[in-house]
Amino acid sequence: MTDRSPLERARDNVTELASLAVTGFWLVALLTGQEWWLVALLVGYVVVVPLTELLYGDADEEVEDIEEADTAPSSDTGDETPLERLRCRYAEGKLTDEQFERKLERPLETETLEDVEDATRDEREREFERS
């Protein structure tokens, strides 16, 4: 785990913080009987939060996602699973710890027991063919 300052953590989560501030602002307005609470809600979520993401969002992640979409898989990685490709990219230093963990959650959430059994069976078959 890295020791990051509160300012660095805030910079990494600026969109989430803006969303939280907008939510708190319009909720306080609603609970105190202000008539403009709906305007605050709409302006906050339609203008403030997207603008914050545009200005302070993670540009490296966007570029990386675009590169992933544009890159066709090579012939030698044709039978690699997404998890294996992710591990390779992490091992090559193309992903930070945080990016790896965030991207790792997606395949693990969608993976079922049958998928794991199939992958294990395929791995055994490949090893058997090599010997």
Side-chain angles (χ1 to χ4, degrees):
M1 185 168 143
T2 60
D3 293 327
R4 297 178 350 176
S5 72
L7 183 60
E8 289 172 330
R9 289 195 320 251
R11 227 178 270 136
D12 291 342
N13 298 309
V14 69
T15 304
E16 291 84 357
L17 293 171
S19 179
L20 182 65
V22 165
T23 303
F25 185 71
W26 73 260
L27 272 175
V28 167
L30 173 68
L31 296 175
T32 59
Q34 306 298 320
E35 295 176 10
W36 46 265
W37 70 269
L38 184 58
V39 173
L41 179 142
L42 293 173
V43 169
Y45 290 129
V46 174
V47 177
V48 175
V49 173
L51 188 60
T52 304
E53 177 63 24
L54 282 173
L55 294 175
Y56 301 102
D58 191 2
D60 294 337
E61 184 176 315
E62 292 172 16
V63 169
E64 181 181 300
D65 290 342
I66 291 170
E67 288 174 355
E68 283 180 23
D70 290 343
T71 307
S74 62
S75 59
D76 61 338
T77 61
D79 44 332
E80 279 187 1
T81 65
L83 189 56
E84 290 170 339
R85 286 193 299 272
L86 183 63
R87 287 180 179 153
C88 288
R89 291 183 62 214
Y90 177 69
E92 293 169 358
K94 294 180 180 178
L95 296 174
T96 65
D97 291 344
E98 293 171 356
Q99 290 171 329
F100 176 73
E101 290 172 7
R102 187 172 55 241
K103 290 180 182 290
L104 182 63
E105 290 174 4
R106 287 184 219 153
L108 292 180
E109 287 174 354
T110 59
E111 193 171 46
T112 63
L113 183 57
E114 291 81 19
D115 293 337
V116 172
E117 290 171 350
D118 290 344
T120 305
R121 188 177 322 109
D122 292 344
E123 181 74 25
R124 288 183 191 146
E125 289 173 1
R126 277 188 248 142
E127 288 177 10
F128 181 72
E129 291 172 0
R130 289 179 196 156
S131 17

